[in-house]
Amino acid sequence: MISAAQLLMIEEAAAAAEGRREMRCQLAMADIYKAAGLLPPGLEIPNGDRNWAKSQGRSLIKDWLEQSPFFVLVPPPAQPGDLLCFRLGHTPHHVAIQLAGGRMVHVFSEHGVRIAPAIPTPWAKRIDSIWRLA
């Protein structure tokens, strides 16, 4: 379970990252967890290109999450601090962090890291899995 202090650190790290020009969502979300002190600073994150899932037909990040000692798969509903894995096409390929009040932080294409006020309904339907820090 994530403590209130840890959630506050995630919120602060997300706010500090907003506008960062990172195109790889998995690296941006890992950096937020690292800045909040919730993942080891030197932890290696899969660094496939943006079209990995489309060209390979499988998810690089979900494969990593399934083997990671830092995350556990949890049933819905998502809680603040959880990592959301979204399907793009037929493959889980995009990740975001659930924030308080139904907001989420994610990478929004060339706009970089952004905090969305809510998860849009079409995106909510694309949630493949929810991962909680172990």
Side-chain angles (χ1 to χ4, degrees), residues 13-71:
E18 191 163 20
R20 181 176 155 211
R21 297 295 229 178
E22 176 60 68
M23 296 283 289
R24 297 157 299 177
C25 59
Q26 75 277 16
L27 298 182
M29 297 309 105
D31 286 348
I32 289 170
Y33 283 129
K34 288 175 182 181
L38 299 171
L39 286 179
L43 181 64
E44 295 276 334
I45 305 299
N47 189 6
D49 112 355
R50 287 179 48 95
N51 295 315
W52 169 268
K54 190 176 190 178
S55 65
Q56 300 297 316
R58 67 181 180 87
S59 174
L60 190 63
I61 191 64
K62 190 168 177 186
D63 289 351
W64 183 85
L65 287 164
E66 289 171 345
Q67 303 300 315
S68 172
F70 300 102
F71 290 91

Side-chain angles (χ1 to χ4, degrees), residues 48-122:
D49 112 355
R50 287 179 48 95
N51 295 315
W52 169 268
K54 190 176 190 178
S55 65
Q56 300 297 316
R58 67 181 180 87
S59 174
L60 190 63
I61 191 64
K62 190 168 177 186
D63 289 351
W64 183 85
L65 287 164
E66 289 171 345
Q67 303 300 315
S68 172
F70 300 102
F71 290 91
V72 294
L73 180 65
V74 296
Q79 301 295 315
D82 287 348
L83 185 70
L84 309 174
C85 190
F86 294 90
R87 282 182 315 282
L88 294 182
H90 299 289
T91 308
H93 185 63
H94 183 66
V95 291
I97 299 172
Q98 177 81 44
L99 299 174
R103 297 170 304 127
M104 75 170 179
V105 59
H106 70 127
V107 169
F108 183 57
S109 191
E110 67 276 352
H111 303 290
V113 178
R114 293 287 186 232
I115 295 176
I119 300 172
T121 301

